Amino acid sequence: MRIENLSAVEHLGSVRIHDVRRLLELDSGSSRSAVVGAGQAQIIEHEAIEAIEKKMAIVIPVKDEELKVFEGVLSGIPHNCQIIVVSNSQRSGIDYFKSELDILERFCQSTGRRAIIVHQRDPFLARAVECSGYSELLDDDGYIRSGKSEGMLVGLLLCAMLEKEYVGFIDADNFVPGAVWEYVKHYAIGFVLAQSPLSMVRILWHYKPKMIGELYFKKWGRVSEVTNRYMNHFISTKGRFETGVVKTSNAGEHAMSLNLAMRLPYATGYAVETQELISVLEQFGGAVPVADNLVTQNGVDIIQTETINPHLHEERNDNEHLFQGMLVPSLAVIYHSQLCEDSTRKLILNQLVESECIAQDQEVPHVHLLPPPQKADIKLFAEALETQFGDIALPGGWLLGEKPSRYKQPGNAQKVLFSDIDGTILHPQSYTYAPALQGIRNLQERRIPLVLCSAKTLAEQEALRRELDIKDPFIVESGGAIYIPKDYFRFPFSFNKTQDEYQVIELGAPFAEIKQRLQLVAQSCSVPFSTFGNMDVDELAQRTGLTLQQARLARERCYSETLIVDEQINGRLMKSLQDAMMKEGLHSVFGGRFFEVGLGSDKGKAVKILCELFKLNFNSISTFAIGNGLNDVSMLQVCDHPMLVQEIDKRWTKVKVKDLVRIKDVGPQGFSRAVEEEIIKFEAVAGINT
Ligand code: GDP
Ligand code: CO
């Protein structure tokens, strides 16, 4: 991009106010072909702009804007910028916030971007702000105060949490996505031009009054013009020359380095942008000695640029009343600055009386100020929010994309438990799960996902999940398929089909194929066996001890088959049966009483896939697995903390798993003990360490 060359600079103490520079070309060609005009213009390389954008977050304050316009604004934000939407839109009746959330989510999914959206009145957000020690943002009712500047400050805290170097603000009522795009480019250009890590970029809109009609820009145009006049008078009294350098007193479109942004006090209401300038001048303009090394060594740069695109935004009402409502606070912050000289004060007072904003004998009203956000402890803020990240959803909104990983210590990793069912959650003999309830409750209280991973079918597991109120994904038929409740993960992933309320990842070959191969096994091998599929429900119930209903569910197989062999059968014959199956490409595991037979799937593979999804969702996870038998080995092998419960004879199945912890209890008792002693205890220790 090409911008006008160096302009006049006013120095005030450590502050350098750069006069407005016009953007000349949106696209200046490639660096080699570009001809640099003799001192007329400066080319800002694309790479330099991109480098800044990667370190910049764009905060979009929004309140009940037209959704199409909001969507357009999103599409104008350059890809490399982190988007942060702070919404104060209505939630009751028509839920505008929900729509914004949907739009943002779809936008992120289709563009592969990351964004954060929060609702300004979210109770958890308020609590996090409170934890950070920045309670000035809170209202008497305990929520964050309404208002655009309060929304901006929430955005600022989120930027700091994400460790961004720059923050830019873009209103959500911008009609022209191309203008939005240009603003952000200006921000980046400004930061390329700035010499100090403390810098601010303010944008002067390029008006096209003829095209837009006169009324359109009257309001802000007039407020800006008047505010600029007194701002410049204010500055002139500090030096020996008159100046007209400030042309962006009310620039809603502006950006700052976090270094600067965190150091400034902010006004509430319409005065926020004017106060930013006043805050900079008060602190660093030379009136008070500056102790801050960063400032004394580098100064502060205020860059002003003028855009090419016109600024078209929503004007709700355009009456004189609003003009006054905006002018008063803008001038009030100049008037009440302790640096404001009497001569300027007198002029402002005259102006306000003349414009019929205040009466002759009336005081200039005060504007409420918020202390510099550097007061907030960002680590505490992040930690308080973090507890909500675990829920995937914030009650007041969603946090999309990656959470800040820096605050995730290993001890804080989201735990996920994978568990076998038969012989683990269900007692190996009585099939009761009662002793496991304590453990399940413990997990649910801590919101630790419990992923059932078993040879059981969808129908069987659904029944159990209902009874135990488990809502997490689950793995059926020994890894044959993964069932993930819709909306469980907040990002897109690939799956094979949707079925009822699930998204299904299929890993195993279809049942028909397995059945066909088992017939071949039966022909080639002399060992007799029967399968669940071949037995009727009565027989199955009798041979397994399942109830009729349970037996019915057990027969609904899609990706695997279960064999029952005669209990008297010796080891050698068993081996020959297994070999015969292997020859047909089938793999089988002996699960205590039965052979689980599958084709192309195993528990471990399914667990690994789910681990990846959980990791995407929680960023950092710590995986636990509980099983009892040989068919759990592949699951145990791929988890961080594998555990084995005892069989009915109080012994552990002989398995080879690295770092295996053997739990001293049978099945469901062992399950609860494992949760208590290995998962929760682990948590307590981690809590002390961090
Ligand atoms: P103007 O465009 O400067 O006249 O002011 P607007 O009233 O249009 O507001 C500017 C931006 O701030 C728009 O994107 C609004 O949707 C947004 N906004 C207004 N009030 C609030 C609020 O209370 N909270 C938040 N987060 N945003 C707000
Ligand atoms: Co507007």
Side-chain angles (χ1 to χ4, degrees):
M1 300 179 101
R2 197 188 303 255
I3 190 162
E4 270 184 342
N5 217 336
L6 224 54
S7 57
V9 182
E10 289 281 351
H11 292 260
L12 278 116
S14 306
V15 183
R16 295 179 290 268
I17 307 179
H18 301 244
D19 206 342
V20 173
R21 292 165 79 164
R22 249 179 342 130
L23 194 73
L24 300 170
E25 272 185 323
L26 286 170
D27 186 335
S28 55
S30 68
S31 48
R32 244 167 283 144
S33 68
V35 183
V36 183
Q40 294 300 305
Q42 187 172 350
I43 287 172
I44 313 288
E45 299 292 351
H46 176 70
E47 291 75 20
I49 291 175
E50 194 177 86
I52 300 276
E53 284 172 346
K54 284 187 175 148
K55 295 186 261 183
M56 180 153 56
I58 297 300
V59 172
I60 307 173
V62 56
K63 184 164 191 281
D64 304 332
E65 298 297 347
E66 197 145 339
L67 293 169
K68 276 273 167 263
V69 177
F70 172 67
E71 201 169 1
V73 167
L74 292 180
S75 64
I77 311 257
H79 185 87
N80 290 314
C81 299
Q82 163 84 42
I83 292 176
I84 297 175
V85 178
V86 183
S87 170
N88 197 14
S89 298
Q90 83 172 43
R91 306 222 58 190
S92 53
I94 302 169
D95 192 340
Y96 277 103
F97 178 63
K98 176 74 169 57
S99 307
E100 290 158 5
L101 202 143
D102 289 345
I103 287 169
L104 183 62
E105 187 176 15
R106 235 175 306 129
F107 175 74
C108 285
Q109 285 185 354
S110 48
T111 58
R113 296 178 64 146
R114 285 186 277 151
I116 289 182
I117 177 167
V118 290
H119 197 273
Q120 201 165 330
R121 304 287 285 173
D122 181 318
F124 289 98
L125 190 63
R127 205 173 306 157
V129 167
E130 198 176 5
C131 285
S132 78
Y134 197 45
S135 47
E136 287 84 352
L137 262 192
L138 303 179
D139 227 337
D140 292 338
D141 59 7
Y143 292 97
I144 291 167
R145 303 158 66 108
S146 284
K148 177 188 159 181
S149 55
E150 287 83 351
M152 288 167 59
L153 284 172
V154 168
L156 205 48
L157 296 181
L158 291 168
C159 283
M161 182 179 89
L162 297 173
E163 301 188 305
K164 291 289 163 183
E165 262 178 59
Y166 305 101
V167 56
F169 298 97
I170 297 280
D171 284 351
D173 62 350
N174 230 299
F175 286 126
V176 189
V180 168
W181 178 85
E182 191 191 347
Y183 297 150
V184 179
K185 295 291 166 190
H186 279 244
Y187 297 163
I189 289 172
F191 292 125
V192 172
L193 295 174
Q195 288 144 28
S196 171
L198 296 132
S199 45
M200 183 186 305
V201 183
R202 302 173 72 93
I203 290 179
L204 181 63
W205 300 323
H206 189 73
Y207 296 138
K208 290 253 173 79
K210 254 193 218 135
M211 202 174 81
I212 291 124
E214 229 185 318
L215 261 184
Y216 214 86
F217 291 115
K218 235 172 120 189
K219 184 184 72 182
W220 259 130
R222 267 169 69 208
V223 175
S224 293
E225 191 193 304
V226 177
T227 312
N228 287 339
R229 197 180 323 146
Y230 297 101
M231 179 67 81
N232 284 317
H233 191 276
F234 170 92
I235 293 171
S236 299
T237 62
K238 306 292 154 223
R240 263 175 296 169
F241 301 98
E242 261 193 38
T243 182
V245 72
V246 175
K247 300 188 175 70
T248 56
S249 294
N250 294 94
E253 260 60 41
H254 67 290
M256 283 180 270
S257 66
L258 261 275
N259 275 324
L260 181 59
M262 299 301 277
R263 283 172 162 81
L264 302 181
Y266 290 83
T268 57
Y270 280 117
V272 58
E273 288 92 5
T274 312
Q275 176 64 45
E276 283 168 7
L277 277 180
I278 295 288
S279 294
V280 169
L281 293 174
E282 281 181 350
Q283 289 195 61
F284 313 120
V288 290
V290 180
D292 204 324
N293 267 343
L294 198 64
V295 180
T296 51
Q297 282 167 17
N298 303 288
V300 177
D301 279 309
I302 298 186
I303 312 264
Q304 301 177 95
T305 62
E306 186 182 307
T307 60
I308 292 173
N309 277 285
H311 184 77
L312 290 172
H313 77 141
E314 183 86 75
E315 295 282 13
R316 289 213 186 91
N317 34 44
D318 211 342
N319 53 30
E320 196 61 18
H321 195 67
L322 202 59
F323 166 76
Q324 293 166 335
M326 284 157 44
L327 187 62
V328 173
S330 295
L331 294 186
V333 294
I334 304 175
Y335 182 93
H336 285 298
S337 166
Q338 69 263 34
L339 297 187
C340 191
E341 313 240 335
D342 282 344
S343 56
T344 313
R345 284 208 174 126
K346 214 176 276 165
L347 290 172
I348 289 176
L349 203 58
N350 282 346
Q351 173 76 47
L352 288 175
V353 172
E354 236 166 72
S355 313
E356 297 178 4
C357 294
I358 59 173
Q360 189 83 54
D361 50 358
Q362 218 182 330
E363 290 253 328
V364 178
H366 278 267
V367 172
H368 186 70
L369 287 190
L370 298 164
Q374 66 183 0
K375 174 173 194 275
D377 186 326
I378 298 300
K379 193 161 183 294
L380 292 180
F381 175 68
E383 276 169 7
L385 272 187
E386 188 99 318
T387 59
Q388 303 310 316
F389 280 114
D391 290 357
I392 305 168
L394 275 173
W398 303 92
L399 284 148
L400 306 175
E402 238 174 46
K403 60 189 164 158
S405 56
R406 183 163 153 218
Y407 298 101
K408 265 277 163 206
Q409 285 110 359
N412 287 344
Q414 172 66 42
K415 298 182 181 73
V416 179
L417 172 61
F418 295 88
S419 178
D420 172 50
I421 298 178
D422 286 298
T424 304
I425 286 181
L426 300 183
H427 192 272
Q429 213 162 42
S430 67
Y431 284 105
T432 178
Y433 54 65
L437 285 175
Q438 180 57 39
I440 293 170
R441 215 166 294 134
N442 269 330
L443 294 169
Q444 286 171 341
E445 271 167 18
R446 288 166 178 76
R447 297 172 196 280
I448 297 172
L450 169 56
V451 177
L452 300 178
C453 175
S454 140
K456 284 191 176 305
T457 63
L458 169 68
E460 291 175 289
Q461 294 204 35
E462 275 193 312
L464 191 66
R465 287 173 87 245
R466 257 195 308 275
E467 284 178 44
L468 299 177
D469 196 28
I470 298 173
K471 305 250 178 358
D472 302 297
F474 53 104
I475 296 164
V476 304
E477 300 188 44
S478 299
I482 306 170
Y483 281 77
I484 299 164
K486 275 180 195 162
D487 295 331
Y488 188 86
F489 294 118
R490 305 296 306 173
F491 51 81
F493 57 91
S494 58
F495 49 88
N496 301 85
K497 61 173 186 184
T498 55
Q499 182 182 333
D500 305 324
E501 67 269 33
Y502 306 112
Q503 289 162 333
V504 188
I505 300 174
E506 294 179 301
L507 301 170
F511 179 69
E513 169 104 34
I514 295 168
K515 199 171 154 183
Q516 205 177 13
R517 296 198 189 198
L518 276 175
Q519 272 159 6
L520 297 175
V521 171
Q523 285 161 19
S524 70
C525 175
S526 58
V527 184
F529 61 83
S530 37
T531 64
F532 276 20
N534 286 343
M535 284 184 272
D536 63 23
V537 174
D538 283 335
E539 190 185 355
L540 183 56
Q542 216 172 34
R543 300 217 18 201
T544 57
L546 297 170
T547 65
L548 283 180
Q549 170 63 9
Q550 286 168 337
R552 210 167 285 126
L553 299 180
R555 283 181 79 238
E556 291 180 17
R557 322 207 128 247
C558 299
Y559 311 98
S560 64
E561 179 56 295
T562 308
L563 304 194
I564 308 182
V565 286
D566 196 329
E567 274 168 33
Q568 314 303 319
I569 202 166
N570 69 29
R572 198 177 50 80
L573 285 175
M574 225 56 137
K575 177 94 178 39
S576 80
L577 175 60
Q578 244 168 334
D579 286 347
M581 286 194 282
M582 204 136 76
K583 255 202 213 125
E584 291 301 331
L586 298 167
H587 64 82
S588 59
V589 253
F590 191 56
R593 308 165 63 140
F594 318 109
F595 272 111
E596 302 297 341
V597 182
L599 182 55
S601 61
D602 72 275
K603 281 187 175 183
K605 201 155 124 191
V607 169
K608 257 179 151 163
I609 290 171
L610 262 181
C611 282
E612 286 307 312
L613 296 181
F614 275 111
K615 210 184 290 170
L616 276 174
N617 203 85
F618 292 115
N619 199 20
S620 125
I621 59 168
S622 173
T623 54
F624 295 79
I626 310 180
N628 70 305
L630 283 174
N631 61 351
D632 297 317
V633 169
S634 69
M635 168 183 80
L636 295 171
Q637 278 170 339
V638 297
C639 288
D640 304 327
H641 307 279
M643 296 171 275
L644 198 68
V645 294
Q646 294 174 332
E647 296 291 354
I648 187 74
D649 56 5
K650 288 247 147 205
R651 292 208 195 147
W652 293 281
T653 305
K654 284 203 175 56
V655 297
K656 258 210 192 112
V657 176
K658 195 169 163 273
D659 298 329
L660 182 71
V661 174
R662 292 183 172 78
I663 306 294
K664 290 193 194 71
D665 250 324
V666 177
Q669 278 97 351
F671 177 88
S672 283
R673 182 192 277 257
V675 170
E676 195 141 329
E677 294 182 2
E678 300 300 323
I679 303 179
I680 301 176
K681 189 183 83 185
F682 184 78
E683 180 172 63
V685 171
I688 290 164
N689 286 343
T690 53

